[in-house]
Amino acid sequence: MLTRRHIRVKVMQSLYAFHQSKNQNFNAEEKFLLKSMKEMYDLFLLILKLMIEIKSYSEKYLGKSQKKFLATQEEMDPNMKFVNNMVLKILEDNIELQNALEERAISHWNRDGEYVAILWEEIRNSEAFHNYMSTRTGSFKQDKDFIINLLKEVIAPNEKLYDYLEDTKLTWLDDLPLVNTAIMKYLNKLKENTPQDSKLPKLYKSPDDEQFAIDLFRKVYLNDEELANEMLGKTPNWDKERIAEIDTILIKMALCEFLQFSSIPVKVTINEYLEIAKEYSTPKSSIFINGVLDKISKEYQEEKRLNKIGRGLM
C-alpha cells in the first residue's frame, strides 16, 4: 500500500521534526517514523470500518422507521438495497479485517458515532444514493460502482470527517489521499464470490520497502553534516538563509540516494524529490532543487562516485 514516494515523504517529515525540535534522541525519532507509517494503516482500517458502520446505522434507521406509530407504506416496507449491498457485506464478513480492527483497537466509531450519523444523512440525501435506490434489485457490479463512487464523492471530501481526522491524528491528513486510493484499489479487486478469509492489502509491498525507510532515515540523519558539505558551493545564487528548510532536507535525502542506494536510478531519485517539493515546499522549490540535483549528479558521474548497479543503471 505504501509507495516509495510516500515513504520518502514520511522520512522527510521525521527529519524536519528532528531539525525543528533539535532532539538528539535518534532511537525516539526512528520509532516515530515507523509509528507514523503504521498509523497510516490504522487510517486504512478506520475508513473501511466507517463504511461498515454506515451500513449498520442505515439498518437501524430503517428499523426505527418501521416501528413508527403512523409509518408510511414505504417505511413499513423499506428498500433494503443499501443494507444488502454485496460489497459492504464482504467488508462486514471479512475475518482478517475483523481481526485487524480488534488487534489495533480501532473502535473510534463506538466513541464518535455522531460522524457516522452525519455521513449517513449526507449519503441518504445525495443524488447518487437516490439513483442507486431507484430500484430494489441490482448486480454486484452496480453495488461495487456505487460504493466506490460514494467513497469518492461523499465520504472522502466530507469536511467534518476531515476535521475529525485532523483532530484525532495530525499525520493522517497527509495520509488520507493515499489511503483513499488504496481503498478504491482494494474495492475494485473485490469479486462477488470473495471469501470471508480473503487477505487485506499489506502496509508495505515488500520487506525491502520497510528497510528502505529505515536505511534512508538513518543514513541522512547520521550523515547530516557530510551531506550539508556536499551542498557547499552548489547554490551560488542562494544564501543559506534563503533556502527553505524542507528544500535542504529534500536535497540531502536525494544526495544520500545518489551515493548510498546503488539500485535506485538517478533519474528516479530526482523525479521523486521534485514531485515531493511541488506538494510540500514553496512554488519555486522544484526548479531550485532540480538545478542543484542535476548539477551535483553530473559531477558525481564525472567523479565516478555514483556506483550504481542493476536497476540503478537505468
Side-chain angles (χ1 to χ4, degrees):
M1 184 171 73
L2 263 172
T3 65
R4 282 287 178 104
R5 182 175 299 170
H6 205 78
I7 289 172
R8 289 179 173 97
V9 169
K10 288 291 188 184
V11 172
M12 175 200 73
Q13 290 170 337
S14 294
L15 291 168
Y16 181 76
F18 160 69
H19 283 286
Q20 289 291 304
S21 66
K22 306 299 181 184
N23 186 358
Q24 298 302 313
N25 189 331
F26 172 78
N27 290 331
E29 293 295 340
E30 185 173 276
K31 285 179 181 177
F32 173 80
L33 167 65
L34 297 175
K35 182 173 179 285
S36 70
M37 289 191 287
K38 289 177 181 177
E39 285 174 345
M40 194 189 78
Y41 199 71
D42 289 345
L43 178 60
F44 174 79
L45 298 173
L46 185 68
I47 301 297
L48 288 180
K49 179 61 174 174
L50 175 61
M51 297 168 74
I52 296 170
E53 289 299 319
I54 291 171
K55 171 189 181 297
S56 177
Y57 187 91
S58 69
E59 195 166 8
K60 293 173 185 175
Y61 175 87
L62 294 178
K64 289 178 182 178
S65 298
Q66 285 178 306
K67 294 177 182 179
K68 285 182 179 179
F69 181 68
L70 296 175
T72 65
Q73 181 60 37
E74 185 180 353
E75 288 172 332
M76 288 188 292
D77 183 26
N79 186 345
M80 304 293 286
K81 190 175 181 179
F82 180 75
V83 171
N84 294 327
N85 183 284
M86 287 180 271
V87 171
L88 294 179
K89 180 67 174 166
I90 288 171
L91 295 180
E92 190 174 44
D93 292 342
N94 186 285
I95 296 171
E96 185 167 312
L97 177 56
Q98 293 171 9
N99 290 340
L101 290 167
E102 186 175 347
E103 287 170 10
R104 292 172 176 259
I106 307 294
S107 58
H108 299 60
W109 308 124
N110 294 338
R111 304 188 303 268
D112 304 307
E114 65 268 26
Y115 292 93
V116 177
I118 289 169
L119 282 163
W120 163 242
E121 283 301 312
E122 187 167 339
I123 289 168
R124 193 168 68 88
N125 293 317
S126 69
E127 183 179 354
F129 184 78
H130 286 292
N131 291 337
Y132 175 70
M133 299 294 284
S134 62
T135 62
R136 291 190 170 227
T137 59
S139 64
F140 180 79
K141 183 180 184 307
Q142 185 187 31
D143 281 1
K144 182 162 71 172
D145 289 345
F146 171 69
I147 294 301
I148 291 172
N149 186 56
L150 208 62
L151 177 67
K152 289 167 59 178
E153 303 298 331
V154 180
I155 297 175
N158 185 273
E159 290 185 6
K160 290 185 178 178
L161 177 62
Y162 186 90
D163 291 341
Y164 171 75
L165 295 176
E166 181 180 25
D167 291 340
T168 305
K169 205 169 297 295
L170 187 60
T171 56
W172 277 352
L173 294 186
D174 285 324
D175 299 335
L176 190 57
L178 181 69
V179 167
N180 284 333
T181 299
I183 290 174
M184 283 189 276
K185 287 181 179 178
Y186 169 64
L187 295 176
N188 265 312
K189 290 180 180 178
L190 293 179
K191 301 184 183 303
E192 188 170 358
N193 59 352
T194 299
Q196 292 182 341
D197 60 352
S198 62
K199 299 297 182 183
L200 294 173
K202 300 299 181 186
L203 175 60
Y204 299 104
K205 293 180 180 179
S206 75
D208 290 343
D209 285 344
E210 182 176 10
Q211 192 59 48
F212 170 70
I214 295 170
D215 289 345
L216 182 59
F217 177 76
R218 286 178 178 175
K219 289 177 180 180
V220 176
Y221 185 107
L222 297 174
N223 296 286
D224 183 76
E225 187 174 343
E226 291 85 346
L227 291 169
N229 289 335
E230 294 286 341
M231 292 176 59
L232 291 177
K234 306 302 191 298
T235 57
N237 298 322
W238 294 77
D239 295 329
K240 184 178 179 182
E241 291 72 20
R242 290 179 58 207
I243 302 175
E245 189 167 2
I246 287 290
D247 294 356
T248 300
I249 291 170
L250 292 177
I251 292 171
K252 288 177 181 178
M253 290 172 66
L255 297 184
C256 184
E257 286 191 28
F258 285 168
L259 297 170
Q260 302 201 40
F261 290 81
S262 58
S263 64
I264 302 176
V266 169
K267 287 184 179 179
V268 170
T269 293
I270 293 176
N271 289 338
E272 286 289 277
Y273 288 106
L274 293 185
E275 291 303 315
I276 294 171
K278 288 175 185 177
E279 187 171 354
Y280 290 92
S281 198
T282 67
K284 295 183 179 179
S285 289
S286 61
I287 298 172
F288 167 67
I289 291 173
N290 185 49
V292 174
L293 295 183
D294 183 62
K295 181 177 181 179
I296 295 178
S297 65
K298 288 176 180 176
E299 288 182 6
Y300 285 173
Q301 183 72 43
E302 292 172 1
E303 296 166 4
K304 301 188 184 306
R305 295 180 64 191
L306 290 175
N307 299 318
K308 298 293 184 179
I309 60 173
R311 287 183 62 254
L313 295 169
M314 294 173 62

